[in-house]
Amino acid sequence: MTIKNTIPTIDISPFTSPNASQQAKDDVVKEVHDACSTYGFFNLVGHGVPAEAQERTRRSAKLFFDLPLEEKMEVSVDKSMGKSFRGYESSKIQTHQVGLLPDTKECFITGVEIPSDDPDAGSFSTGPNLWPKSLSKEAFETPIMEYRSLMVELAKTLVKILGLGLPKEWGCSPNVFDELTVKPSIPMRLLYYEPQTEIDPRQFGVGDHTDFGCVSILLQEKGTKGLEVWYPPSQTWIPVPVMENAYVINMGDTMHRWTAGHYRSARHRVVNYSGVERSSIAFFLNGNLKLQIKPLDGSSDEETNIGEHIRSRLAHTMGENGKFLR
């Protein structure tokens, strides 16, 4: 593949089309493989998610972030059950790197709706969601959960493609990643960034970091900019262009570890010096939190528990604010 200082755009519709040739499907697998092993990121089109579902979810997110701070704090993450980590995360409580100031972003986090009497409720990323009382179910909860369902189906397609793209000499089943989608941790974050009026090299909407899980699916807001990916060959930050109705897909640390770095978890950040507010919707496929994984290339027998790996990484970035995750 030709190396360029921009992430590729991939149309996956031939992979899901019953009328596409096997060669067209194989081409999609190769394109995704090359993007994830080279950049760790790509723009995704041909995904089949209706534009109206995207817009409806954006409108619901705006309703939440327009609420007074005291109403948002009523569903603060520190009010979620145990370590389930649901609800509102206010600005400036997460720091990704030593020497950086806390992120300026705000976010609202949902996950699989697990009743409070479930035996696992209160464990990491598992439990009931928190919903603001001032927003009706029809205006907020329903569109959010319906959109989440669409993301789950898209994630299932992506892990199928990723499994097929692994090196043949590893001898992996093409369904090797399917177990990620069995009772998975799938947090979704509605994100809001105020314009950064003061430029400080230590301050970002989201500081330089890698994602913790397996696959991230991001919907950016048209007419905005700010997401950047670090590209080691050129030692530069590459802006990720906003494409209408497209998704930004990236690999997380768990996928990186599982594939021995073959699918690359890339550093990225959000800089919002544009003078306008910015929003996005991020869906994370963490996988089954009880799953034990080891490098698929056979390079090590050391196992990693997905849930503990992600919990410890998240708690570290939250500092004292994440004491309820420990």
Side-chain angles (χ1 to χ4, degrees), residues 74-269:
E74 289 177 359
V75 289
S76 174
V77 289
D78 60 2
K79 294 180 171 63
S80 55
M81 183 178 180
K83 302 175 183 177
S84 59
F85 204 65
R86 308 295 174 85
Y88 175 62
E89 182 184 298
S90 58
S91 180
K92 299 182 180 178
I93 69 169
Q94 186 174 28
T95 306
H96 288 282
Q97 299 280 352
V98 174
L100 295 183
L101 296 175
D103 297 347
T104 64
K105 72 177 186 309
E106 298 176 53
C107 69
F108 181 80
I109 307 161
T110 62
V112 176
E113 189 68 68
I114 303 295
S116 58
D117 60 355
D118 185 281
D120 289 330
S123 61
F124 175 62
S125 193
T126 307
N129 289 308
L130 302 180
W131 301 105
K133 295 177 181 178
S134 53
L135 296 178
S136 71
K137 185 173 182 177
E138 293 73 19
F140 191 64
E141 179 181 346
T142 297
I144 296 301
M145 296 306 281
E146 288 178 350
Y147 181 80
R148 285 176 51 83
S149 296
L150 294 172
M151 292 300 96
V152 170
E153 294 309 308
L154 178 55
K156 288 180 179 178
T157 298
L158 289 171
V159 298
K160 184 71 69 176
I161 294 171
L162 289 166
L164 288 166
L166 290 172
K168 301 303 181 189
E169 59 268 25
W170 289 7
C172 298
S173 163
N175 303 320
V176 63
F177 295 132
D178 285 6
E179 56 190 332
L180 286 174
T181 63
V182 178
K183 295 184 178 180
S185 162
I186 41 176
M188 187 170 84
R189 291 183 167 222
L190 310 179
L191 293 150
Y192 173 76
Y193 304 86
E194 285 189 342
Q196 291 177 238
T197 54
E198 296 182 6
I199 297 179
D200 187 321
R202 302 168 300 163
Q203 185 88 74
F204 297 89
V206 179
D208 178 3
H209 71 290
T210 53
D211 289 348
F212 309 144
C214 287
V215 179
S216 305
I217 305 174
L218 178 73
L219 179 64
Q220 299 198 85
E221 182 181 14
K222 57 186 177 183
T224 65
K225 58 183 179 180
L227 178 61
E228 299 176 339
V229 178
W230 179 252
Y231 186 50
S234 61
Q235 292 290 294
T236 56
W237 289 100
I238 302 174
V240 178
V242 178
M243 299 179 61
E244 189 167 359
N245 301 329
Y247 287 101
V248 179
I249 308 299
N250 67 280
M251 302 294 98
D253 295 340
T254 303
M255 180 64 76
H256 185 106
R257 180 172 295 199
W258 203 355
T259 63
H262 190 76
Y263 289 144
R264 196 167 75 83
S265 179
R267 293 163 52 196
H268 52 290
R269 66 185 186 183

Side-chain angles (χ1 to χ4, degrees), residues 306-318:
I306 287 181
E308 180 55 25
H309 167 68
I310 296 172
R311 184 206 60 77
S312 62
R313 288 290 312 280
L314 177 60
H316 177 73
T317 66
M318 298 293 288

